[in-house]
Amino acid sequence: LKQTNVWVGYRNTIAYTLVGTLIALAVNIPAAYALSRKDLVGRKVLMGLYAFTMFFSGGLIPTFLTVQQFHLYNTFWVMVLPFSVSVYNIIVARTFFQNSLPGELWDAAQVDGCGNLRFFFTMALPLSKAVISVIALWAAVGHWNSYFNALIYLRTADRYPLQLVMRNILINNEVVSNAMTGSAAAELNRKANLIKYGAIVVSSLPIMCMYPFVQKYFNQGVMIGALKG
């Protein structure tokens, strides 16, 4: 904990998690609601395009070039914008909207002159706190554990998330311990293991502390979007 880069990683990870979760909710929840509407023109085609990306992607090199062309490389926003859309989360939320919002509710709202946008904000969102909590939780845990995107798209150490900082510390200790022989190597291996265990605790402690308060949302997440017989 005396290493400043660990605290810088904590700061960055918290910022990425908070901003990334808000952006994920802002793009996934409205998309899921729109795809759940039977009056959406081309709904099946759009859903097919979304599902297609779950199985096939452009690959790492085209994605890297796209990030560069949008001037996101080595910036804060590369960690929260390009990968904010999750098709799996959209499908789960869409299924929830379809199963939990009865058509009669929409019919009654239309009689009172309510449009789609107003219905979404005043009725759909308040009745969908469970799925919103689950999507937010999944997005937050994903951002907290993410290191691969930072490894590819970040080059400045003061923007590294905590997971990448921990990874670099572990790699450096492994290199040093492997370079020694004899009793010195045994001592270095012991210290390397201690650092490894400490890194695990440091990186997972906030999530462990938060888990008792959000455990019920994990349980809800198992059932939300499931088919009921």
Side-chain angles (χ1 to χ4, degrees):
L1 295 179
K2 293 181 180 179
Q3 299 191 45
T4 57
N5 56 346
V6 172
W7 293 108
V8 171
Y10 257 120
R11 180 199 65 191
N12 293 337
T13 296
I14 293 173
Y16 294 147
T17 300
L18 292 178
V19 177
T21 300
L22 291 177
I23 293 177
L25 290 176
V27 298
N28 291 317
I29 297 298
Y33 172 75
L35 291 171
S36 71
R37 300 297 307 164
K38 295 181 180 179
D39 54 347
L40 176 66
V41 178
R43 181 179 67 154
K44 293 183 179 180
V45 175
L46 290 173
M47 196 63 245
L49 292 175
Y50 273 97
F52 181 84
T53 63
M54 295 182 68
F55 304 100
F56 304 97
S57 68
L60 181 58
I61 294 177
T63 305
F64 183 87
L65 294 176
T66 302
V67 168
Q68 276 193 323
Q69 290 172 358
F70 277 94
H71 306 289
L72 295 174
Y73 181 74
N74 198 33
T75 65
F76 173 89
W77 299 106
V78 76
M79 295 296 294
V80 296
L81 277 180
F83 312 99
S84 57
V85 176
S86 171
V87 179
Y88 178 80
N89 290 346
I90 289 177
I91 292 175
V92 170
R94 184 205 61 170
T95 306
F96 178 87
F97 284 130
Q98 287 177 337
N99 295 338
S100 302
L101 298 181
E104 292 79 7
L105 188 63
W106 166 242
D107 294 337
Q110 278 186 309
V111 172
D112 292 335
C114 182
N116 265 310
L117 196 62
R118 185 179 177 186
F119 180 81
F120 173 68
F121 283 105
T122 60
M123 304 191 75
L125 287 184
L127 294 174
S128 306
K129 294 179 181 179
V131 73
I132 292 174
S133 301
V134 170
I135 300 301
L137 181 63
W138 288 347
V141 173
H143 279 288
W144 187 272
N145 292 331
S146 176
Y147 77 94
F148 183 75
N149 290 337
L151 186 64
I152 301 298
Y153 302 110
L154 294 180
R155 283 295 172 266
T156 307
D158 60 358
R159 293 191 176 97
Y160 285 174
L162 179 64
Q163 305 299 337
L164 191 55
V165 173
M166 295 289 101
R167 175 184 177 275
N168 292 338
I169 291 175
L170 295 178
I171 290 177
N172 291 335
N173 278 279
E174 289 291 336
V175 171
V176 173
S177 62
N178 291 335
M180 303 295 290
T181 59
S183 58
E187 180 64 18
L188 282 175
N189 282 328
R190 186 183 69 84
K191 292 183 178 179
N193 287 331
L194 291 177
I195 293 177
K196 185 185 300 183
Y197 303 144
I200 293 172
V201 172
V202 167
S203 61
S204 60
L205 186 60
I207 296 295
M208 293 173 62
C209 293
M210 187 178 65
Y211 181 79
F213 302 99
V214 298
Q215 182 180 5
K216 62 178 181 179
Y217 297 121
F218 276 107
N219 298 333
Q220 290 178 357
V222 175
M223 296 304 299
I224 284 181
L227 297 177
K228 299 178 181 178

